[in-house]
Amino acid sequence: MSARLGRLVIEFDGNHPVRDLIESELGITPAGAARPDLTIHIGAEPPRGEGPRLSGSRLALRHSVTNIDGVLRVSMGMKYGGTFYTVDVHDPLLKPGNVRADVYIGKNLKAWSRVTTPLSMLFSRDASNLLETAAKNVIYEIIDPLAEYRLLSVGSSLVHASGLNRRGRTVLLAGTGGVGKSTSLLSAMSSDTSLSYIGDDMMVVDPDGTVHRHPKRIQVYAYNVAGNPDARRSLLADMSRGRRLLWRTRASLLGAKQSRTRVRAEELFGAERVDDSGELGCVIWITPTTKGRPGIQATDASILAGRCGVALLDELWDFNRLMSLGSLLMPDGVNSADLQARATEVYSAAFGSVPCFEMVVPYRTDPMHLADVALSVVDW
């Protein structure tokens, strides 16, 4: 079974319930004639092995990297015991051809999920059980970084942005997390029915300016739709009664940033308003501020390319930090600086022939006004 991210073909194998959830989310299809660029095996228990190890910790997490006979083993877990995920990378990630990575998850996770589902859904911001949480984490923390290295090997890159389409032309709303990309996208989609969705959080961009959708679900927080009754109504309509109650309770008691849901774009907007690709027409970088009014002005493509490189590295930081450690153990390893530089090169080529803008956004700006300001400069 395989999935596509732009020109990248990802093949999945293995026998684990988390694999089934990932295949369902990414819209996996039976493998065709195209040869995979990345093969990801998802299993239950990693094989034993010894080799030189480097480790580090951040907050309550403990990460380590081991070179076992030329296989780079990345372990991600808790500082004082317990491993969440182990990833064996068998090949240099930037090499031509197929690269294989084995992802190992606890073998008892399905049983634990069955026992703890009510409790885990109560404490999860998106009301997920342990299996759903693991599948989401593997997509965000493992598959996305691996895909980025493989995309760079064919000359493309992920970009951390939201995307709107009209007649095949794409506007990228780029920025770091929490600056208003998703809020602006949802507001624009609600106010202008001629717009189509092409991506949120991550998309693929080619150096010639072609933009491709990432098929993972949209992650919508309560604050993203707080000033958008149409989007909020549509979002709640697709939830089960239990998840709807958890959404409202968490938002009321803990705040709008502690309540979210993950939804397919087709369910939220309708399949007719979801596009798989488009040609880049404009890039808007969103910069937050504490005062003033929203404003937008033209800027240089190279500036936005550099900022997008930093934003991408921040989104993929945990796994890429481990790959940087791994580059000390393997001569053909790639560190974070290499990844950022290569991604920035792709952005520079893609952004160089289209208008680029910086939009300054005060906190608590009305989301409808935010979308109006962003799209006021777009020449569709």
Side-chain angles (χ1 to χ4, degrees):
M1 304 293 280
S2 63
R4 277 191 176 272
L5 280 178
R7 292 184 288 173
L8 188 75
V9 178
I10 306 176
E11 185 178 62
F12 292 86
D13 62 28
N15 182 22
H16 197 285
V18 165
R19 176 197 167 189
D20 298 334
L21 292 174
I22 291 172
E23 289 186 341
S24 173
E25 173 156 350
L26 297 184
I28 303 298
T29 58
R35 297 180 60 185
D37 304 288
L38 174 64
T39 297
I40 298 179
H41 169 87
I42 300 178
E45 286 293 331
R48 294 184 177 275
E50 298 293 336
R53 173 177 298 178
L54 296 173
S55 63
S57 61
R58 184 166 69 90
L59 299 178
L61 300 177
R62 183 198 71 243
H63 301 327
S64 67
V65 182
T66 310
N67 184 344
I68 304 174
D69 297 327
V71 175
L72 199 65
R73 173 166 295 174
V74 175
S75 296
M76 310 169 72
M78 299 298 292
K79 184 179 290 187
Y80 299 109
T83 298
F84 293 150
Y85 313 106
T86 298
V87 185
D88 284 354
V89 181
H90 293 262
D91 311 281
L93 285 172
L94 293 177
K95 77 161 195 169
N98 186 41
V99 166
R100 182 177 181 86
D102 298 330
V103 180
Y104 299 103
I105 308 169
K107 65 179 180 180
N108 296 321
L109 188 62
K110 184 175 182 179
W112 274 108
S113 179
R114 188 181 303 114
V115 172
T116 62
T117 286
L119 193 62
S120 61
M121 290 183 67
L122 181 64
F123 285 97
S124 167
R125 280 193 289 186
D126 43 18
S128 297
N129 60 38
L130 291 182
L131 283 175
E132 292 168 335
T133 298
K136 180 232 173 178
N137 288 345
V138 169
I139 291 172
Y140 279 72
E141 297 178 15
I142 297 172
I143 294 176
D144 276 355
L146 288 173
E148 171 61 9
Y149 282 102
R150 300 305 295 141
L151 282 164
L152 291 174
S153 75
V154 297
S156 301
S157 177
L158 292 173
V159 60
H160 182 50
S162 295
L164 292 163
N165 254 18
R166 179 184 281 161
R167 295 189 293 272
R169 298 278 285 176
T170 302
V171 172
L172 288 186
L173 302 174
T176 57
V179 298
K181 300 185 302 297
S182 298
T183 302
S184 300
L185 178 142
L186 291 167
S187 299
M189 290 289 292
S190 295
S191 62
D192 189 342
T193 57
S194 70
L195 295 174
S196 298
Y197 167 92
I198 191 171
D200 183 64
D201 182 65
M202 289 289 180
M203 284 173 287
V204 177
V205 61
D206 298 335
D208 66 359
T210 304
V211 181
H212 307 271
R213 178 188 174 196
H214 192 307
K216 64 185 177 183
R217 292 187 176 99
I218 308 174
Q219 191 161 266
V220 183
Y221 287 80
Y223 72 84
N224 293 138
V225 294
N228 188 344
D230 291 339
R232 187 175 187 274
R233 192 180 306 112
S234 178
L235 194 70
L236 293 176
D238 289 326
M239 290 187 194
S240 66
R241 182 178 299 177
R243 288 182 187 266
R244 193 181 306 129
L245 176 62
L246 287 172
W247 163 280
R248 289 173 169 159
T249 302
R250 289 188 66 88
S252 176
L253 297 179
L254 302 177
K257 290 190 175 182
Q258 298 301 316
S259 181
R260 70 186 179 200
T261 189
R262 304 184 66 242
V263 61
R264 298 178 192 277
E266 291 85 354
E267 295 174 357
L268 190 57
F269 306 120
E272 70 282 357
R273 296 185 69 194
V274 177
D275 293 339
D276 290 327
S277 63
E279 294 303 316
L280 188 60
C282 176
V283 184
I284 301 173
W285 176 270
I286 302 176
T287 299
T289 185
T290 57
K291 57 185 178 181
R293 302 180 63 184
I296 191 165
Q297 62 182 6
T299 190
D300 190 79
S302 62
I303 293 175
L304 293 200
R307 290 178 178 178
C308 286
V310 173
L312 179 70
L313 192 66
D314 179 63
E315 286 299 305
L316 306 179
W317 173 243
D318 279 342
F319 191 86
N320 283 319
R321 186 169 70 93
L322 294 173
M323 296 308 296
S324 290
L325 279 177
S327 70
L328 303 177
L329 295 176
M330 300 184 74
D332 50 12
V334 180
N335 60 41
S336 296
D338 294 330
L339 180 140
Q340 182 178 336
R342 288 170 179 260
T344 301
E345 287 180 6
V346 175
Y347 303 149
S348 295
F351 299 171
S353 59
V354 301
C356 295
F357 300 89
E358 179 178 11
M359 182 169 71
V360 178
V361 178
Y363 289 111
R364 298 178 181 172
T365 299
D366 178 82
M368 293 300 185
H369 183 46
L370 190 66
D372 290 341
V373 172
L375 298 182
S376 67
V377 298
V378 180
D379 182 10
W380 296 101

